[in-house]
Amino acid sequence: MISRLIRDEAVVLRTQPLGEADRIITLLTRRHGKVRASARGVRRTASRFGARLEPFQRVDLQLRRGRSLDVIAQAVTITGYSSRIAEDYDRFTAATAVAETAERLSDEGIDSSNDFYLLVLSALAAIADSSRPPMLLLDSFLLRATASAGWTPQLRTCATCGADGPHVAYDVAAGGVVCSECRRPGAVGVRPRVIEHMIFLLAGDWENVLDSDDRTQNQAAALIASTLTWHLERGIRALHYVERYQRGPQ
């Protein structure tokens, strides 16, 4: 039986050893969603794939479809983000959190569309190349990824009754800000400036995002992470290595 070859563009999300010389490569592809494939002999120094299949690389792939695991037949680098991201710890941890989030959302069957692929790709490109702080780029990605999954938090009106804001409490389970009448035990008190910052992150209004103070940024990041964690039912492990999330809200 002739094996089926497919060609697609992809971003490398994660790698793990397989045997003595191979690796399993987890990729987010443009047209086929998340794919796990073996890269044979890639750990040998003479491998023709080598650095092309490191995390955060954007590649043009040929995959040979298998029953349980695809096989990478060819990989050509389109854009090499890996080396630039690895040069800086904040960039590396932010990019790692982006990659894990993309994988987790794909596991949930949330979104394998071209738009989601472009969202992940643009986040990694910005972390690699942008002068904007990696932590803010991560916050923006996490919020947009949450929205892409259909879980956009209500930020302007009460998530329970629809009353116009601004409101001063955030209820993750309810789906966003809540008014004083709808506020339940467990809702978090929040300053209007924090909610405004989240609105700016979601809209990509970087002038206002960059104008926010550290306290506002940290509190917004905590709400964004809590929202994503609630929907996924467990947290993103890579966030434990991100300095902002190690400190927690201030």
Side-chain angles (χ1 to χ4, degrees):
M1 181 177 179
I2 299 175
S3 60
R4 185 164 65 95
L5 283 175
I6 65 169
R7 182 175 179 179
D8 205 346
E9 178 184 317
V11 170
V12 179
L13 300 179
R14 182 164 60 96
T15 70
Q16 58 193 106
L18 177 65
E20 294 184 0
D22 303 343
R23 278 199 178 107
I24 296 175
I25 312 295
T26 302
L27 308 120
L28 182 66
T29 67
R30 188 163 195 158
R31 294 183 297 276
H32 297 84
K34 193 187 84 167
V35 170
R36 295 176 75 248
S38 66
R40 294 175 178 172
V42 75
R43 295 166 66 192
R44 297 192 181 105
T45 55
S47 170
R48 57 196 174 96
F49 292 143
R52 300 176 195 175
L53 295 174
E54 290 297 313
F56 320 129
Q57 297 290 79
R58 179 188 179 196
V59 292
D60 184 353
L61 285 178
Q62 278 193 359
L63 293 169
R64 185 176 296 111
R65 284 301 204 184
R67 290 185 178 179
S68 59
L69 196 65
D70 297 337
V71 177
I72 296 175
Q74 184 177 356
V76 177
T77 301
I78 299 175
T79 313
Y81 298 125
S82 183
S83 60
R84 282 170 285 173
I85 288 173
E87 289 173 353
D88 180 82
Y89 181 78
D90 286 344
R91 287 184 181 182
F92 179 78
T93 54
T96 301
V98 167
E100 184 183 345
T101 302
E103 185 174 358
R104 288 284 304 282
L105 288 176
S106 298
D107 286 342
E108 295 288 329
I110 301 300
D111 194 335
S112 59
S113 69
N114 181 60
D115 287 345
F116 184 64
Y117 173 80
L118 293 176
L119 176 65
V120 174
L121 179 63
S122 63
L124 293 175
I127 290 169
D129 298 331
S130 177
S131 59
R132 294 167 183 160
M135 299 303 101
L136 288 176
L137 292 169
L138 172 60
D139 295 340
S140 180
F141 168 79
L142 293 177
L143 190 54
R144 291 183 178 193
T146 301
S148 178
W151 304 324
T152 309
Q154 289 290 336
L155 300 174
R156 299 182 184 275
T157 61
C158 176
T160 301
C161 71
D164 290 335
H167 301 299
V168 294
Y170 189 95
D171 188 333
V172 171
V177 294
V178 289
C179 65
S180 57
E181 293 186 2
C182 295
R183 183 173 183 173
R184 304 178 300 179
V188 179
V190 61
R191 295 176 295 131
R193 185 169 177 80
V194 174
I195 300 303
E196 288 178 358
H197 179 70
M198 293 173 66
I199 292 171
F200 297 145
L201 283 170
L202 191 57
D205 183 349
W206 284 99
E207 181 177 354
N208 280 304
V209 167
L210 294 171
D211 193 45
S212 61
D213 58 83
D214 287 345
R215 183 186 176 204
T216 296
Q217 293 176 15
N218 289 336
Q219 291 181 339
L223 293 179
I224 293 167
S226 296
T227 300
L228 184 58
T229 297
W230 191 87
H231 286 289
L232 290 175
E233 299 183 354
R234 59 188 176 93
I236 302 298
R237 289 173 296 178
L239 292 181
H240 296 303
Y241 302 100
V242 177
E243 184 180 357
R244 183 197 303 285
Y245 295 93
Q246 291 174 346
R247 294 196 306 263
Q250 297 176 356

